[in-house]
Amino acid sequence: MTEDRKSRARAWFEDLRDLICAEFERLEDEAPAGLYPGTPGRFVRTPWRRGTNGADQGGGVAGMMRGRFFEKVGVHVSTV
């Protein structure tokens, strides 16, 4: 039961992260090029793990974007 709830919660937060990232990227695309020159930013997602000596103590995905409208923005999800 607990693992099922954890799995569903993880999926919900990952879906929310994806929606948030998509909206930040949409704003990057819609920013006027005359005011914000350059290429619109995109998120780079980097998986990470927490734990030492092979122990799985959780982890997640760090999403970072450097853009023309948003200098730097991050959206992260971690599961422990």
Side-chain angles (χ1 to χ4, degrees), residues 47-63:
W48 61 275
R49 285 259 157 264
R50 181 174 172 224
T52 57
N53 299 325
D56 183 8
Q57 297 175 334
V61 175

Side-chain angles (χ1 to χ4, degrees), residues 1-78:
M1 178 72 167
T2 301
E3 284 303 313
D4 179 55
R5 289 172 51 190
K6 182 178 176 180
S7 178
R8 286 186 294 143
R10 179 182 198 160
W12 186 87
F13 279 107
E14 288 174 351
D15 287 344
L16 179 59
R17 175 208 53 214
D18 293 344
L19 290 171
I20 292 169
C21 289
E23 286 302 308
F24 275 121
E25 289 180 350
R26 183 185 62 77
L27 291 170
E28 277 284 314
D29 291 341
E30 293 178 358
L35 293 174
Y36 304 97
T39 303
R42 290 294 175 258
F43 276 90
V44 175
R45 295 181 180 177
T46 307
W48 61 275
R49 285 259 157 264
R50 181 174 172 224
T52 57
N53 299 325
D56 183 8
Q57 297 175 334
V61 175
M64 294 296 296
M65 178 176 71
R66 294 181 188 277
R68 58 191 184 109
F69 186 64
F70 293 100
E71 182 178 338
K72 184 177 179 184
V73 62
V75 182
H76 310 290
V77 172
S78 66

